[in-house]
């Protein structure tokens, strides 16, 4: 069993930055991947970034829309990931969710159904 708790959301002006954190409490499983998704009103949930936890390489993947602006990394604390968001625009607004997968992911990483644990979400609002 895994529990995920996000923090760090808030309101920011366009061009500003925010940092989000996701803390995982693990009771029995091993986390292979942790990822960030976001969902704006009227839109489907989309993958933002992923980091592989189970391998020492800590390989990362990003959506094209955030590449170069967002960075996902594992914090010094075990099973905690951080999402640094820079040069934000109004299109980055939405509810951001932390997700975890306790098995290998085959194919696309950005499909929500491949993750079996989710946090409650944290709101990010970027004003233009």
């Amino acid at each position: 069993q895994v529990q995920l708790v996000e923090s760090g959301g808030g309101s920011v002006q366009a061009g500003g930055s925010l940092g989000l954190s996701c803390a995982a409490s693990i009771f029995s499983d091993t986390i292979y991947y942790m990822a960030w998704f976001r969902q704006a009103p009227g839109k489907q949930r989309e993958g933002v970034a992923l980091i592989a936890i189970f391998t020492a390489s800590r390989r990362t993947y990003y959506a094209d829309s955030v590449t170069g602006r967002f960075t996902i990394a594992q914090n010094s604390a075990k099973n905690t990931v951080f999402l640094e968001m820079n040069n934000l625009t109004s299109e980055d607004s939405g509810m951001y969710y932390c997700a975890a997968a306790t098995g290998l992911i085959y194919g696309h990483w950005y499909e929500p159904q491949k993750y079996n644990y989710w946090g409650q979400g944290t709101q990010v609002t970027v004003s233009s």
Side-chain angles (χ1 to χ4, degrees):
Q1 185 179 1
V2 177
Q3 293 183 349
L4 305 174
V5 179
E6 306 98 331
S7 62
S11 299
V12 64
Q13 295 284 343
S17 301
L18 279 177
L20 306 180
S21 293
C22 177
S25 299
I26 305 175
F27 295 89
S28 61
D29 294 328
T30 298
I31 295 178
Y32 281 50
Y33 312 91
M34 295 184 69
W36 287 96
F37 287 75
R38 67 187 181 188
Q39 188 168 24
K43 299 179 64 177
Q44 65 180 9
R45 191 167 300 186
E46 64 174 343
V48 177
L50 172 144
I51 183 168
I53 301 297
F54 75 104
T55 176
S57 66
R58 299 293 190 270
R59 185 176 298 274
T60 59
Y61 299 88
Y62 298 92
D64 290 343
S65 59
V66 307
T67 297
R69 298 189 298 120
F70 291 12
T71 301
I72 187 171
Q74 186 177 30
N75 284 9
S76 59
K78 187 179 180 180
N79 296 319
T80 301
V81 295
F82 179 77
L83 183 68
E84 180 184 2
M85 305 184 295
N86 299 309
N87 195 25
L88 289 163
T89 74
S90 60
E91 295 183 354
D92 295 313
S93 296
M95 186 71 71
Y96 281 68
Y97 298 91
C98 181
T102 57
L104 290 172
I105 291 179
Y106 300 94
H108 302 310
W109 66 267
Y110 48 79
E111 299 176 342
Q113 65 269 23
K114 295 182 178 178
Y115 299 82
N116 51 335
Y117 291 98
W118 292 85
Q120 77 287 348
T122 184
Q123 181 68 42
V124 173
T125 302
V126 183
S127 59
S128 59

